[in-house]
Amino acid sequence: DKDTFYFKGEVIEGVDIESVEFLAEWFFKDKNSVYFYGLKIEDADPESFVRIDNTRYSKDNKYIFWNGDCIKEADLETFEVLSYHVAKDKNNTYFARRIINYIDPETVEVLDEYNSDLIKDKKKVYYRLKPIRGIDMATFKYLGYNYMKDKKKVYYNNKVIKGADAETFEYHPSRYSRDARDKNGYYY
C-alpha cells in the first residue's frame, strides 16, 4: 500500500516515504532517521549521514559507524578507511568496529586492497589479526595474493612454504591464478 514502507518484505514503522533515500543495499535514510537493514541507527544524523567509500563504514557530522553501530571512540577528523574492514584514526586501528590496540595506527597498511586478512605495521605482519612469527621486517616484501617473503623464507597467508627459495621466488599474477615459482618449482 502507498503509505507503508517495506524493507526486504518487512514493514518498517515510522519511515517518511516521501523522503526515503537508499545509500546502499543495506542503508537507507529519510528526513528523520537512518536505517541499517531496517533497524533505526541511534545517534545518526540523517542530514549529514553518508557511506564512506564503498564499505560498511559510514559517518555523520558527529560519529563514525560500522554496520550501523556507532564507534564513539573514533576521531571523526582523522578517520581513514584502508579497506572494507580496516580503518584508522590518529589514536587507533579498527577492524570493523573493534579497536585493535596492538597495531600501530601511524604505520598500519593493508597489504591487499581486496583482502583484509594481511595487515602490517612497523613492527609486525598480521594474518587475520594474529602476528606472523619469524618474519624479518627489514627485508619483508609483499608479493601479492597472500604471498610474501623475507631474505630467508617464503610465506603464504601465515605459513612458511617449505622448500621455497626466497631469493628466486616470484609471484606471477593472472586473472584466474595464484601461480608462483622459484628455482625449485611451481606453487599454487
Side-chain angles (χ1 to χ4, degrees):
D1 88 58
K2 66 181 178 129
D3 296 324
T4 304
F5 184 82
Y6 296 88
F7 182 77
K8 300 205 178 257
E10 299 291 322
V11 173
I12 309 298
E13 298 291 338
V15 175
D16 180 73
I17 295 172
E18 297 298 317
S19 65
V20 168
E21 177 185 347
F22 280 86
L23 306 172
E25 175 185 335
W26 50 83
F27 279 120
F28 66 91
K29 66 182 180 178
D30 66 13
K31 68 181 183 180
N32 303 310
S33 301
V34 180
Y35 300 84
F36 178 76
Y37 277 104
L39 299 174
K40 191 181 290 189
I41 302 173
E42 299 301 322
D43 300 319
D45 171 49
E47 191 172 315
S48 62
F49 189 91
V50 294
R51 279 180 72 198
I52 301 175
D53 299 331
N54 218 6
T55 69
R56 290 193 179 198
Y57 284 106
S58 52
K59 68 180 180 176
D60 67 10
N61 59 359
K62 290 184 188 170
Y63 300 114
I64 300 290
F65 301 87
W66 166 262
N67 279 355
D69 290 331
C70 186
I71 309 173
K72 291 191 176 179
E73 305 86 355
D75 180 72
L76 190 62
E77 297 301 314
T78 62
F79 193 83
E80 178 184 353
V81 173
L82 303 176
S83 73
Y84 193 78
H85 291 97
V86 181
K88 70 177 184 173
D89 64 21
K90 68 180 183 177
N91 302 311
N92 298 300
T93 299
Y94 302 88
F95 188 88
R97 77 162 325 285
R98 281 181 31 209
I99 294 173
I100 310 302
N101 57 12
Y102 55 86
I103 298 178
D104 178 40
E106 284 186 40
T107 61
V108 66
E109 294 176 48
V110 175
L111 296 175
D112 188 322
E113 66 181 303
Y114 303 108
N115 180 349
S116 299
D117 286 345
L118 284 166
I119 302 169
K120 92 179 209 35
D121 64 13
K122 66 184 176 188
K123 304 170 284 188
K124 296 179 181 178
V125 178
Y126 305 88
Y127 177 72
R128 296 186 176 165
L129 302 178
K130 294 180 180 158
I132 301 173
R133 300 192 191 287
I135 290 181
D136 176 30
M137 291 302 288
T139 61
F140 171 80
K141 183 176 181 187
Y142 180 70
L143 303 172
Y145 214 90
N146 292 10
Y147 286 112
M148 57 200 136
K149 68 180 183 176
D150 62 20
K151 67 182 175 185
K152 293 183 179 179
K153 298 175 191 163
V154 179
Y155 302 82
Y156 181 75
N157 290 335
N158 60 340
K159 302 211 182 320
V160 173
I161 301 174
K162 293 185 190 316
D165 179 64
E167 188 175 328
T168 61
F169 192 91
E170 297 175 333
Y171 165 62
H172 297 278
S174 69
R175 187 171 180 179
Y176 301 106
S177 177
R178 301 178 208 162
D179 292 342
R181 70 178 92 177
D182 67 11
K183 70 179 187 178
N184 298 323
Y186 291 88
Y187 304 86
Y188 177 80

